[in-house]
């Protein structure tokens, strides 16, 4: 009975985090982007600096009509948002935010593989949406999504493999237990490759070719309205949280910090994740969208070789120090 | 330009620096409904009608490129002022309306009005929920006259306005005449400039 | 092939790590895990059948996701956690995405495809049944009544799988790697040759094109001489691929 209660409590906490953190990231994006562009951003909803803007947006989405195009494949069309969103919820379950059993939803033996595998599944939602919408812009968006995923999955995996080699384990908790501060400079190339490839997998600007609004309207999500559209947006922001959390855990040492190791580890994790989320927003504001060929070229000619070089470096250092 | 022009990614870093610097600066957004905007002196907000000056010459309505000015009038006979004189007819304005859903704020009507009956007012908050209500009638246009600001001061070295010059000339002449009548000696020193023209 | 690989990996994991429990186990008092295993197996089987019978191409690919995911769950139930996630990562995350990409790039109509039915489905069925029988027979013959002790130390964890793969099975593993590498190199070589061939083939119509337009022009204007040179001289056959390559580079 106690076990059941424990599991239920953990699931509930993860679910609440899953619902709140993406909204916080979204609101931060509103405000940070506005100020980076010399604007103020939302100011009215909720009274104080528009803190409730996303709540208002959610209410608006809930009121909208849920339209399924006449020519669409109804069932696949309706299923797609769930397929896009649920994987990120599962990933969040495996991310440790602090030392010890209490600070992770579920300890997994092959955590790195689990996380990367499930994140890759999320892209299926975009593909389903793109195909089922019976819209050429959606189809183009789906195609671009698939091409982008195929190009960037590889460097991401290789970069993660480098860390796994360094730690000698593929468990997320194990990696963090083995972490030393000098891993930071050691794995910095891998970290950058991982982060950039993750951005591309999330289709965040400057890698937002699949949803390029000036060319193909909104890519795979063109035909979506109301709550289903909101779910896709939520998936994007949940993806940011997951990517930043994962980069923190794999490369930045998670709960390790210069001080406050006892009991305050989770603060470090959240802090690092927040900084990375800020970087995600910052990159979005600053850089223009990459063209499709530039996108592919960046992955195959820069990120993959860099990741391979990182693996080689990791292997050499590992052999030398052992 | 950059400290390391050849370094790969220096351009990307420069872009990031620009956005970060912008974020730390105060934003320039004006919170309009809370704070009124600072309008330029000759703002073209809306067209006010000084209907006392209007003679129903129809020039504004005819020159309007959008045909957005509607004028109705009738003729009225004014009895002769002096006994034995002729009766005069005069135009009386019945309706003067401007359809601001058509108006493109070119200001031609204001330019062509020979009697200074139309003016720019900086008033801009006259949005309506129905496009038909954007046709504003003469009472509304007359009310807007109160918001017309005084004309801005001239530049320091500007030429004197023609009407002021003319008015002063007449005044000077009258003064000179008045001065000449009681005093036998004329005053060439009174205003040589006025005598010239 | 998936099944074969899966069975092989399970075989690795089990034979190397599990102390075979030969004691009597009844089929009549199944545990919860066994029931779950059976149910998931049924779902997987059903999804697989739908995959090959549905007339809608993309639906087939999506049902394949269900089948492969079901397989991953089966691995999980057998405590082969590592294999399960790799299954999701490779098959669901990459292979199906590649499949969908190919489908959407070529032809993926919404609704039934009229030509999704193959004439030799009987042969296909026979091959499938033969393959299934062979696999099942091999697996059954290899394991008989071997049971995995689910309550003990996990028999399919990353540690155990890695150790088994690189200690007992390192030779087959390396052989497979070399095989895959050879396939990779072969694919690259083939695609390169096909590319140059295609370029050469494309150069020929280019050469022929102006002649055709010239003929069209003569038919329209009867007084024009057919020997009149085309406004754009056709690139020589030797120059055409180079020009194409230059074009491609410019585009890049």
């Amino acid at each position: 009975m106690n076990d059941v209660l424990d599991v239920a409590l953990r699931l509930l906490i993860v679910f609440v985090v899953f619902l709140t953190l993406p909204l916080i990231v979204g609101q931060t994006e509103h405000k940070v982007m506005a100020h980076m562009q010399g604007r103020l951003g939302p100011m009215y909803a909720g009274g104080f600096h528009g803190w409730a803007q996303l709540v208002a947006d959610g209410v608006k989405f809930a009121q909208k009509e849920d339209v399924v195009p006449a020519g669409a494949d109804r069932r696949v069309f309706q299923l797609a948002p769930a397929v896009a969103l649920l994987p990120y919820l599962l990933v969040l379950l495996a991310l440790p935010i602090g030392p010890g059993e209490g600070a992770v939803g579920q300890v997994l033996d092959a955590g790195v593989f689990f996380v990367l595998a499930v994140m890759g599944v999320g892209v299926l939602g975009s593909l389903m949406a793109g195909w089922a919408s019976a819209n050429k812009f959606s189809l183009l968006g789906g195609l671009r999504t698939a091409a982008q995923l195929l190009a960037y999955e590889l460097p991401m995996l290789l970069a993660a493999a480098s860390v796994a080699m360094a730690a000698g384990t593929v468990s997320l908790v194990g990696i963090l237990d083995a972490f030393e501060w000098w891993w930071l400079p050691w794995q910095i190339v891998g970290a950058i490759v991982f982060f950039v490839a993750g951005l591309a997998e999330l289709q965040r600007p400057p890698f937002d070719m699949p949803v390029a609004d000036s060319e193909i309207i909104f890519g795979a999500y063109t035909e979506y309205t109301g709550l289903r559209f909101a779910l896709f947006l939520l998936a994007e922001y949940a993806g940011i949280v997951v990517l930043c959390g994962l980069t923190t855990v794999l490369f930045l040492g998670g709960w390790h910090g210069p001080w406050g190791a006892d009991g305050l580890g989770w603060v470090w994790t959240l802090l690092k994740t927040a900084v990375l989320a800020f970087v995600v927003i910052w990159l979005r504001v600053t850089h223009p969208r990459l063209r499709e060929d530039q996108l592919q070229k960046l992955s195959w000619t820069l990120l993959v070789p860099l990741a391979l070089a990182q693996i080689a470096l990791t292997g050499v250092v590992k052999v030398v120090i052992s | 330009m950059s400290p390391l022009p050849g370094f790969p990614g220096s351009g990307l870093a420069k872009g990031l620096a620009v956005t970060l610097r912008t974020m730390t600066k105060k934003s320039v957004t004006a919170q309009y409904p809370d704070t009124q905007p600072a309008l330029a002196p000759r703002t073209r907000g809306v067209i006010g009608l000084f209907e006392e000056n209007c003679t129903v010459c129809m020039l504004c309505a005819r020159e309007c490129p959008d045909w957005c000015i509607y004028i109705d009038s009738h003729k009225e006979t004014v009895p002769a002022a002096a006994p034995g004189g002729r009766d005069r007819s005069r135009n009386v304005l019945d309706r003067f309306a401007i359809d601001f859903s058509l108006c493109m704020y070119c200001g031609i009507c204001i330019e062509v009005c020979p009697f200074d009956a139309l003016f720019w007012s900086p008033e801009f908050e006259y949005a309506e929920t129905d496009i038909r209500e954007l046709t504003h009638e003469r009472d509304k246009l007359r009310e807007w006259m109160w918001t017309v600001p005084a004309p801005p001061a001239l530049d320091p070295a500007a030429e004197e306005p023609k009407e002021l010059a003319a008015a002063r000339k007449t005044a000077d002449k009258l003064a000179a005449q008045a001065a000449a009548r009681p005093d036998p000696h004329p005053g060439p020193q009174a205003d040589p400039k006025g005598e010239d023209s | 092939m998936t099944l074969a690989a899966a069975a092989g990996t399970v075989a690795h994991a089990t034979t190397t790590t599990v102390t075979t429990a030969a004691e009597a186990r009844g089929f009549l008092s199944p545990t919860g895990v066994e029931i779950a295993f059976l149910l998931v197996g049924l779902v997987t089987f059903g999804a697989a059948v739908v995959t090959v019978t549905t007339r809608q191409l993309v639906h087939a690919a999506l049902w394949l996701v269900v089948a492969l995911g079901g397989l991953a769950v089966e691995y999980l139930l057998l405590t082969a956690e590592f294999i399960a996630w790799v299954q999701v990562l490779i098959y669901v995350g990459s292979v199906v995405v590649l499949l969908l990409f190919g489908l959407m790039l070529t032809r993926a109509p919404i609704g039934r495809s009229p030509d999704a039915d193959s004439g030799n489905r009987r042969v296909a069925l026979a091959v499938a049944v033969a393959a299934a029988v062979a696999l099942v027979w091999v697996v059954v013959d290899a394991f008989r009544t071997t049971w995995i002790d689910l309550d003990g130390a996990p028999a399919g964890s990353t540690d155990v799988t890695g150790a088994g793969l690189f200690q007992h099975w390192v030779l087959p593993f390396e052989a497979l790697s070399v095989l895959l590498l050879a396939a990779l190199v072969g694919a690259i070589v083939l695609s390169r040759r096909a590319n140059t061939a295609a370029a050469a083939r494309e150069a020929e119509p280019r050469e022929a094109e102006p002649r055709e337009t010239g003929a069209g022009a003569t038919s329209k204007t009867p007084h024009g001489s057919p020997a009149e040179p085309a406004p754009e001289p056709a690139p020589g056959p030797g120059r055409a691929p180079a020009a194409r390559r230059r074009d491609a580079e410019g585009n890049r």
Side-chain angles (χ1 to χ4, degrees), chain B residues 115-158:
Chain B
F115 300 104
D116 279 352
L118 292 172
F119 291 90
W120 278 119
S121 155
E123 187 63 38
F124 62 95
E125 292 168 308
Y126 52 96
E128 300 286 348
T129 48
D130 190 327
I131 194 169
R132 283 164 295 192
E133 286 162 22
L134 274 172
T135 306
H136 288 298
E137 298 293 336
R138 64 196 271 196
D139 47 343
K140 194 79 186 282
L141 298 178
R142 182 63 185 86
E143 265 169 47
W144 274 322
M145 258 327 279
W146 303 112
T147 63
V148 173
L154 292 173
D155 291 343

Side-chain angles (χ1 to χ4, degrees), chain C residues 52-74:
Chain C
V52 291
T53 53
T54 180
R55 297 265 179 100
Q56 305 194 27
L57 282 176
V58 174
H59 280 200
L62 295 176
W63 279 112
L64 188 62
V65 172
V66 177
L68 295 171
L71 222 50
V73 175
E74 298 279 51

Side-chain angles (χ1 to χ4, degrees), chain A residues 73 109-110 114 117 131 143 150, chain C residues 58-59 81 85 98 101 108 157-158:
Chain A
D73 191 309
D109 176 42
F114 168 76
W131 173 76
L143 278 176
L150 290 178
Chain C
V58 174
H59 280 200
E81 195 185 322
W85 300 136
L98 192 63
F101 182 63
S157 69
T158 316

Side-chain angles (χ1 to χ4, degrees), chain B residues 83-182:
Chain B
R86 223 174 56 193
D87 287 356
R88 305 271 172 163
S89 74
R90 168 173 88 92
N91 286 324
V92 179
L93 192 63
D94 289 334
R95 178 183 187 226
F96 192 106
I98 300 180
D99 187 349
F100 283 101
S101 66
L102 291 179
C103 178
M104 61 180 189
Y105 302 87
C106 63
I108 289 177
C109 51
I110 293 163
E111 298 297 324
V112 299
C113 182
F115 300 104
D116 279 352
L118 292 172
F119 291 90
W120 278 119
S121 155
E123 187 63 38
F124 62 95
E125 292 168 308
Y126 52 96
E128 300 286 348
T129 48
D130 190 327
I131 194 169
R132 283 164 295 192
E133 286 162 22
L134 274 172
T135 306
H136 288 298
E137 298 293 336
R138 64 196 271 196
D139 47 343
K140 194 79 186 282
L141 298 178
R142 182 63 185 86
E143 265 169 47
W144 274 322
M145 258 327 279
W146 303 112
T147 63
V148 173
L154 292 173
D155 291 343
E159 194 186 335
E160 198 178 26
K162 289 217 171 60
E163 60 268 30
L164 278 189
R168 221 216 355 259
K169 211 165 79 181
T170 345
D172 285 347
K173 232 180 221 166
L174 286 177
Q177 280 169 9
R181 217 168 292 151

Side-chain angles (χ1 to χ4, degrees), chain A residues 169-192:
Chain A
T169 170
V170 288
S171 152
L172 289 173
V173 181
I175 286 175
L176 279 179
D177 281 336
F179 183 82
E180 306 278 348
W181 68 267
W182 50 267
W183 285 25
L184 210 57
W186 182 24
Q187 301 288 344
I188 185 72
V189 176
I192 292 170

